[in-house]
Amino acid sequence: MSEIDPFDEIIAEETTRDPDLAAIEAGSRTLRTQGGPPQADVPARPEDPEVDKALREVEADLASRWGETKLEPSVSRIAALMDVLGEPQRSYPSIHITGTNGKTSTARMIEALLGAFELRTGRYTSPHVQSVTERISLDGAPISAERFVETYRDIKPYIEMVDGSQEYRLSFFEVLTGMAYAAFADAPVDVAVVEVGMGGSWDATNVIDGDVAVVTPIDLDHTDRLGSTPGEIAGEKSGIIKQGATVIMAQQPVDAAQVLLKKAVEADATVAREGLEFGVVSRQVAVGGQLLTLRGLGGEYTDVYLPLYGAHQAHNAAVALAAVEAFFGVGAQRAEPLDVDAVRKAFASVASPGRLEIVRRSPTVVLDAAHNPAGARVTAEAVQEAFDFSRLIGVVGASGDKNVRGLLEAFEPVFAEIVVTQNSSHRAMDADELAAIAVEVFGEERVQVEPRLPDALEAAITLAEEEGEFAGGGVLVTGSVITVGEARLLLGKG
């Protein structure tokens, strides 16, 4: 009988995890205070009317360009912009993140870890929850509206120069990417943490040469643009793996893993795989999050408190830790692990707005930006693990270009009833169209239609309250980052 390669066993499991569900409370509050309370850094509108007016003008200019769903697979325009700006993205090292789900949370964790080691960070993530300024962060906080406007005005002449020389004008995402890279160079930052917008090879962010390439779990999303199998999608995402880089690879479907490893070999890149070189040793539910033991490239890190819910966030934490270790040369140039106290403090400070975020109590209202079946599955599992809801009501507003049926099927076992709605985006699926699919999945008696999001929230809260004040009803708002962002505003956050 031939010996089974342990890597084959790991990737055959894809992203199926069987975490320790033991609940503990002792010690978690103390661990949490070591890093201070997590800050959900979602900025509100500027209070100064002049600044608000200037920001709205920039937002209008950006909105006049191609949106993020209209793409022309090329980096020629962003490369031309970088050229006339003097290649700002070359002035600092970077960690580049791709994958299907978990990119933003992982980026926030990487940023917190780097900050704990006194490095000045720039973080670029997308999409935003409420304000476009969220996408560009310095030292762990979104840049101010004033700085956002100033950055845009500084590079606007160069944007117009490139617009005039290209077949198509720079897109919304390309301009924002240029702004981020310019802002990071101007700061200046010690390291940039950059999340791809979509894919990898031809994503606008891919004019950087990431010293570390991070690949979070790959699943089916944007199949019309990236491919119809995880392997095909991995082929596009592997484009961020640059010559001689270190690749930090989360658990992957077998065909995706094979594609990524092949690309790494071609690029002479070093690969660290979750489950072999690093991973989650143990996790326990704790008050407000979970307590982890992580195995990094340099050894074990015990008693790590993470104020985020769900097994998927524990695995994001393992990936983030390995990425930062790789950046510092742990496991390669140096054998000793990172300072465990700094690691603990960093993770205890992490927040990820719109990712199983509690925004109200009595009844509890939770927001989660899951927008595809894979994201919905891990969210459903995490809700069951972290919250003791006797009855959970779903509020779902989705985009028309997503696998809505798959998303609803993932939530069907955990939602007692569902209120379908739609957000203000032009991409939003019509509430009645969404309701027709929901009826097929949930049955007519479990579906309520409220086209206006404020009415949907009110209806869901009323349904959750029907069991009484102490009965444990809850509401989960999900289906789209835009739906979550609008609900967050309606519920008084930001």
Short mmCIF file of all heavy atoms in Angstrom, two decimals, residues 179-211:
data_model
loop_
_atom_site.label_atom_id
_atom_site.label_comp_id
_atom_site.label_asym_id
_atom_site.label_seq_id
_atom_site.Cartn_x
_atom_site.Cartn_y
_atom_site.Cartn_z
N MET A 179 -4.22 56.23 -6.45
CA MET A 179 -4.25 57.10 -5.26
C MET A 179 -3.60 56.41 -4.07
O MET A 179 -2.84 57.02 -3.32
CB MET A 179 -5.70 57.48 -4.93
CG MET A 179 -6.33 58.45 -5.91
SD MET A 179 -8.09 58.70 -5.56
CE MET A 179 -8.04 59.40 -3.91
N ALA A 180 -3.93 55.14 -3.87
CA ALA A 180 -3.39 54.40 -2.73
C ALA A 180 -1.87 54.31 -2.83
O ALA A 180 -1.14 54.62 -1.86
CB ALA A 180 -3.99 53.00 -2.68
N TYR A 181 -1.36 53.92 -3.99
CA TYR A 181 0.08 53.77 -4.14
C TYR A 181 0.80 55.11 -3.98
O TYR A 181 1.90 55.16 -3.40
CB TYR A 181 0.40 53.14 -5.50
CG TYR A 181 0.00 51.68 -5.61
CD1 TYR A 181 -0.08 51.04 -6.83
CD2 TYR A 181 -0.29 50.92 -4.48
CE1 TYR A 181 -0.43 49.69 -6.95
CE2 TYR A 181 -0.64 49.58 -4.57
CZ TYR A 181 -0.71 48.98 -5.80
OH TYR A 181 -1.06 47.65 -5.90
N ALA A 182 0.19 56.18 -4.46
CA ALA A 182 0.78 57.51 -4.29
C ALA A 182 0.75 57.94 -2.84
O ALA A 182 1.74 58.50 -2.32
CB ALA A 182 0.04 58.53 -5.16
N ALA A 183 -0.36 57.68 -2.15
CA ALA A 183 -0.49 58.06 -0.74
C ALA A 183 0.51 57.30 0.11
O ALA A 183 1.10 57.85 1.05
CB ALA A 183 -1.92 57.80 -0.25
N PHE A 184 0.73 56.03 -0.21
CA PHE A 184 1.68 55.23 0.57
C PHE A 184 3.11 55.76 0.38
O PHE A 184 3.90 55.81 1.33
CB PHE A 184 1.63 53.76 0.13
CG PHE A 184 0.32 53.08 0.40
CD1 PHE A 184 -0.01 51.89 -0.24
CD2 PHE A 184 -0.61 53.61 1.30
CE1 PHE A 184 -1.21 51.25 0.00
CE2 PHE A 184 -1.82 52.98 1.55
CZ PHE A 184 -2.12 51.79 0.90
N ALA A 185 3.45 56.15 -0.85
CA ALA A 185 4.78 56.69 -1.10
C ALA A 185 4.97 58.04 -0.43
O ALA A 185 6.06 58.35 0.07
CB ALA A 185 5.02 56.81 -2.61
N ASP A 186 3.91 58.82 -0.40
CA ASP A 186 3.99 60.16 0.19
C ASP A 186 4.09 60.09 1.71
O ASP A 186 4.70 60.98 2.32
CB ASP A 186 2.75 60.97 -0.22
CG ASP A 186 2.81 62.41 0.24
OD1 ASP A 186 3.77 63.10 -0.14
OD2 ASP A 186 1.91 62.84 0.99
N ALA A 187 3.55 59.05 2.33
CA ALA A 187 3.48 58.99 3.80
C ALA A 187 4.84 59.14 4.50
O ALA A 187 4.96 59.99 5.39
CB ALA A 187 2.74 57.74 4.24
N PRO A 188 5.91 58.43 4.21
CA PRO A 188 5.93 57.17 3.46
C PRO A 188 5.69 55.99 4.39
O PRO A 188 5.86 56.11 5.60
CB PRO A 188 7.37 57.14 2.92
CG PRO A 188 8.17 57.81 4.02
CD PRO A 188 7.26 58.86 4.63
N VAL A 189 5.28 54.86 3.80
CA VAL A 189 5.05 53.66 4.60
C VAL A 189 6.27 52.75 4.55
O VAL A 189 7.09 52.82 3.64
CB VAL A 189 3.80 52.89 4.12
CG1 VAL A 189 2.56 53.77 4.18
CG2 VAL A 189 3.99 52.33 2.71
N ASP A 190 6.36 51.88 5.55
CA ASP A 190 7.42 50.86 5.57
C ASP A 190 7.03 49.63 4.77
O ASP A 190 7.88 48.91 4.25
CB ASP A 190 7.71 50.43 7.01
CG ASP A 190 8.27 51.57 7.85
OD1 ASP A 190 9.17 52.28 7.37
OD2 ASP A 190 7.79 51.75 8.99
N VAL A 191 5.72 49.38 4.69
CA VAL A 191 5.21 48.22 3.96
C VAL A 191 3.76 48.47 3.58
O VAL A 191 3.01 49.08 4.34
CB VAL A 191 5.35 46.93 4.81
CG1 VAL A 191 4.67 47.07 6.16
CG2 VAL A 191 4.80 45.71 4.08
N ALA A 192 3.38 48.00 2.40
CA ALA A 192 1.99 48.11 1.94
C ALA A 192 1.33 46.74 1.98
O ALA A 192 1.95 45.74 1.60
CB ALA A 192 1.94 48.67 0.52
N VAL A 193 0.10 46.70 2.44
CA VAL A 193 -0.71 45.48 2.46
C VAL A 193 -1.83 45.71 1.45
O VAL A 193 -2.69 46.55 1.65
CB VAL A 193 -1.29 45.21 3.86
CG1 VAL A 193 -2.08 43.91 3.88
CG2 VAL A 193 -0.18 45.20 4.91
N VAL A 194 -1.79 44.96 0.36
CA VAL A 194 -2.64 45.26 -0.79
C VAL A 194 -3.53 44.06 -1.14
O VAL A 194 -3.04 42.96 -1.39
CB VAL A 194 -1.79 45.64 -2.02
CG1 VAL A 194 -2.68 45.92 -3.23
CG2 VAL A 194 -0.92 46.87 -1.70
N GLU A 195 -4.82 44.30 -1.17
CA GLU A 195 -5.80 43.29 -1.56
C GLU A 195 -6.18 43.49 -3.01
O GLU A 195 -6.49 44.62 -3.42
CB GLU A 195 -7.05 43.41 -0.68
CG GLU A 195 -8.20 42.53 -1.10
CD GLU A 195 -9.50 42.85 -0.35
OE1 GLU A 195 -9.43 43.42 0.75
OE2 GLU A 195 -10.58 42.52 -0.90
N VAL A 196 -6.19 42.42 -3.80
CA VAL A 196 -6.61 42.56 -5.20
C VAL A 196 -8.09 42.91 -5.24
O VAL A 196 -8.86 42.61 -4.33
CB VAL A 196 -6.36 41.26 -6.01
CG1 VAL A 196 -4.91 40.85 -5.99
CG2 VAL A 196 -7.26 40.13 -5.54
N GLY A 197 -8.49 43.55 -6.34
CA GLY A 197 -9.91 43.83 -6.53
C GLY A 197 -10.63 42.60 -7.05
O GLY A 197 -11.64 42.18 -6.52
N MET A 198 -10.08 42.01 -8.11
CA MET A 198 -10.66 40.79 -8.68
C MET A 198 -9.56 40.04 -9.43
O MET A 198 -8.81 40.65 -10.19
CB MET A 198 -11.80 41.12 -9.64
CG MET A 198 -12.51 39.89 -10.20
SD MET A 198 -13.73 40.32 -11.48
CE MET A 198 -14.84 41.40 -10.57
N GLY A 199 -9.47 38.75 -9.19
CA GLY A 199 -8.51 37.94 -9.92
C GLY A 199 -7.10 38.13 -9.41
O GLY A 199 -6.79 37.94 -8.25
N GLY A 200 -6.21 38.50 -10.33
CA GLY A 200 -4.81 38.65 -9.96
C GLY A 200 -3.98 39.18 -11.10
O GLY A 200 -3.50 40.30 -11.08
N SER A 201 -3.82 38.38 -12.17
CA SER A 201 -2.92 38.73 -13.26
C SER A 201 -3.17 40.11 -13.82
O SER A 201 -2.25 40.93 -13.95
CB SER A 201 -3.03 37.70 -14.40
OG SER A 201 -2.60 36.44 -13.97
N TRP A 202 -4.41 40.39 -14.17
CA TRP A 202 -4.71 41.69 -14.78
C TRP A 202 -5.43 42.64 -13.83
O TRP A 202 -5.96 43.67 -14.26
CB TRP A 202 -5.52 41.50 -16.06
CG TRP A 202 -6.66 40.52 -15.98
CD1 TRP A 202 -6.66 39.23 -16.43
CD2 TRP A 202 -7.97 40.73 -15.43
NE1 TRP A 202 -7.88 38.63 -16.19
CE2 TRP A 202 -8.71 39.53 -15.58
CE3 TRP A 202 -8.59 41.83 -14.83
CZ2 TRP A 202 -10.02 39.40 -15.15
CZ3 TRP A 202 -9.92 41.69 -14.39
CH2 TRP A 202 -10.61 40.49 -14.56
N ASP A 203 -5.41 42.33 -12.54
CA ASP A 203 -5.98 43.26 -11.57
C ASP A 203 -5.12 44.52 -11.51
O ASP A 203 -3.89 44.45 -11.61
CB ASP A 203 -6.06 42.60 -10.20
CG ASP A 203 -6.77 43.47 -9.19
OD1 ASP A 203 -8.01 43.58 -9.28
OD2 ASP A 203 -6.10 44.07 -8.33
N ALA A 204 -5.75 45.67 -11.29
CA ALA A 204 -5.02 46.94 -11.28
C ALA A 204 -3.94 46.97 -10.21
O ALA A 204 -2.93 47.66 -10.37
CB ALA A 204 -5.99 48.10 -11.09
N THR A 205 -4.14 46.24 -9.12
CA THR A 205 -3.12 46.25 -8.06
C THR A 205 -1.84 45.56 -8.48
O THR A 205 -0.79 45.73 -7.84
CB THR A 205 -3.64 45.57 -6.79
OG1 THR A 205 -3.91 44.18 -7.07
CG2 THR A 205 -4.91 46.24 -6.27
N ASN A 206 -1.88 44.78 -9.56
CA ASN A 206 -0.77 43.88 -9.89
C ASN A 206 0.38 44.57 -10.62
O ASN A 206 1.06 43.96 -11.46
CB ASN A 206 -1.26 42.68 -10.68
CG ASN A 206 -0.32 41.49 -10.57
OD1 ASN A 206 0.35 41.32 -9.56
ND2 ASN A 206 -0.25 40.67 -11.62
N VAL A 207 0.61 45.84 -10.29
CA VAL A 207 1.82 46.52 -10.76
C VAL A 207 2.85 46.58 -9.64
O VAL A 207 3.89 47.23 -9.78
CB VAL A 207 1.50 47.94 -11.30
CG1 VAL A 207 0.77 47.84 -12.62
CG2 VAL A 207 0.71 48.74 -10.28
N ILE A 208 2.55 45.93 -8.52
CA ILE A 208 3.52 45.79 -7.44
C ILE A 208 4.20 44.43 -7.56
O ILE A 208 3.66 43.51 -8.17
CB ILE A 208 2.88 45.93 -6.04
CG1 ILE A 208 1.77 44.89 -5.85
CG2 ILE A 208 2.39 47.34 -5.79
CD1 ILE A 208 1.23 44.84 -4.43
N ASP A 209 5.37 44.32 -6.96
CA ASP A 209 6.06 43.04 -6.87
C ASP A 209 6.05 42.63 -5.41
O ASP A 209 6.95 42.98 -4.64
CB ASP A 209 7.50 43.15 -7.39
CG ASP A 209 7.54 43.40 -8.89
OD1 ASP A 209 6.72 42.81 -9.60
OD2 ASP A 209 8.39 44.19 -9.33
N GLY A 210 5.00 41.93 -5.01
CA GLY A 210 4.84 41.56 -3.62
C GLY A 210 5.93 40.63 -3.14
O GLY A 210 6.14 39.56 -3.73
N ASP A 211 6.63 41.01 -2.09
CA ASP A 211 7.62 40.12 -1.48
C ASP A 211 6.95 38.86 -0.94
O ASP A 211 7.53 37.78 -0.93
CB ASP A 211 8.32 40.84 -0.32
CG ASP A 211 9.01 42.11 -0.78
OD1 ASP A 211 8.32 43.13 -0.94
OD2 ASP A 211 10.22 42.06 -0.99
#
